[in-house]
Amino acid sequence: MKHGKKYVDSAKLVDRAKLYDSNEAIDLCTKTAKAKFDETVEVHVKLGVDSRHADQQVRGAIVLPNGTGKNVRVLALCKEDKQDAAKEAGAEFVGGAELVAKIQNEGWMDFDVVITTPDMMGQVGRLGKVLGPRGLMPNPKAGTVTPDIARAIREAKAGKIEYRLDKNNIIHCPIGKASFGTEKLQENFDTLLGAIVKAKPAAAKGQYIRSCVVASTMGPGVRINPNKVG
């Protein structure tokens, strides 16, 4: 793969053979984010589990102390008695069956997070084939199916992120923008890794965190020593 000049220059700052401490890696990551836009910093964590087994799933949600730096557009699907509270909490789109139909029939997808109440799941469940592949399907484990919809909306706006394994047993999560600086990104990183470690399945054997890499949107990956995180 051929990389641009900025990437090549940034890559020279990173020792690919070295396992960095997290603060050093995050600092390097902010220095190698040289795009004209404010790059997102992401963490990629490979775990020593097998996601094919139900007792080795790692999934949850956490509110990052410094947010993600992204303006999250929230769709709240609830019945009329909860709709005013959802609007007051800051949801951009609030409705019930009519918005479910809009997604189903028109392919409407102008939102980043879907939050719903348990009594709506009978209708929302029909959207599984549409929302599921995009990672938008509400789930109780992620806190996006809840009777307290107003609280869930406020948390989403404050920087709540969901973490879960992909088919290669890797978790991919944003921890903020490069402009946050090392200190704020480190706080978000520690919060995320702490949650992942806490979610370790009892069935997991051997080394839990196999590898950990931090990278900005357009920058090179920086490897973190997996024995020094969590």
Side-chain angles (χ1 to χ4, degrees):
M1 184 185 292
K2 189 173 182 180
H3 293 291
K5 184 177 181 298
K6 286 183 179 178
Y7 180 96
V8 172
D9 289 344
S10 293
K12 290 176 183 175
L13 300 174
V14 180
D15 182 348
R16 296 183 70 85
K18 182 177 177 180
L19 293 175
Y20 291 88
D21 287 347
S22 61
N23 60 341
E24 192 179 2
I26 291 168
D27 187 49
L28 257 179
C29 202
T30 61
K31 289 174 180 174
T32 56
K34 296 181 178 179
K36 291 180 180 178
F37 61 93
D38 193 3
E39 296 182 48
T40 296
V41 175
E42 292 188 346
V43 175
H44 309 275
V45 187
K46 185 172 180 63
L47 299 181
V49 296
D50 188 343
S51 60
R52 292 173 297 178
H53 298 291
D55 62 352
Q56 294 189 45
Q57 290 295 322
V58 179
R59 182 174 188 175
I62 192 82
V63 177
L64 297 177
N66 299 300
T68 62
K70 181 181 179 183
N71 178 33
V72 180
R73 299 169 299 169
V74 176
L75 165 62
L77 297 173
C78 52
K79 295 188 176 177
E80 286 187 13
D81 61 329
K82 296 281 181 76
Q83 290 183 4
D84 284 345
K87 289 172 185 174
E88 288 174 15
E92 279 76 6
F93 310 103
V94 179
E98 76 284 0
L99 292 184
V100 173
K102 187 175 182 180
I103 295 168
Q104 203 167 23
N105 301 329
E106 301 173 26
W108 176 64
M109 298 293 291
D110 294 339
F111 45 84
D112 304 302
V113 177
V114 183
I115 299 172
T116 190
T117 49
D119 58 4
M120 281 292 294
M121 279 306 291
Q123 298 178 57
V124 176
R126 297 198 296 265
L127 300 174
K129 290 183 180 179
V130 181
L131 299 179
R134 294 174 171 83
L136 293 171
M137 190 65 188
N139 185 288
K141 288 183 180 177
T144 46
V145 179
T146 171
D148 193 351
I149 196 166
R151 178 182 175 185
I153 291 165
R154 287 192 293 270
E155 287 181 344
K157 288 288 186 181
K160 187 173 188 176
I161 59 166
E162 183 182 356
Y163 58 88
R164 65 176 180 179
L165 294 169
D166 68 8
K167 61 183 180 182
N168 296 311
N169 305 312
I170 301 172
I171 289 173
H172 310 271
C173 278
I175 56 166
K177 298 289 186 179
S179 62
F180 281 18
T182 304
E183 188 176 332
K184 287 185 175 180
L185 288 170
Q186 181 74 53
E187 287 177 1
N188 283 354
F189 174 87
D190 289 342
T191 300
L192 172 63
L193 266 291
I196 292 172
V197 169
K198 195 174 179 181
K200 180 181 179 180
K205 297 289 187 285
Q207 186 175 357
Y208 181 51
I209 296 180
R210 296 282 177 85
S211 68
C212 183
V213 175
V214 64
S216 62
T217 306
M218 305 295 288
V222 185
R223 298 166 69 208
I224 294 173
N225 188 337
N227 298 316
K228 292 187 177 182
V229 296

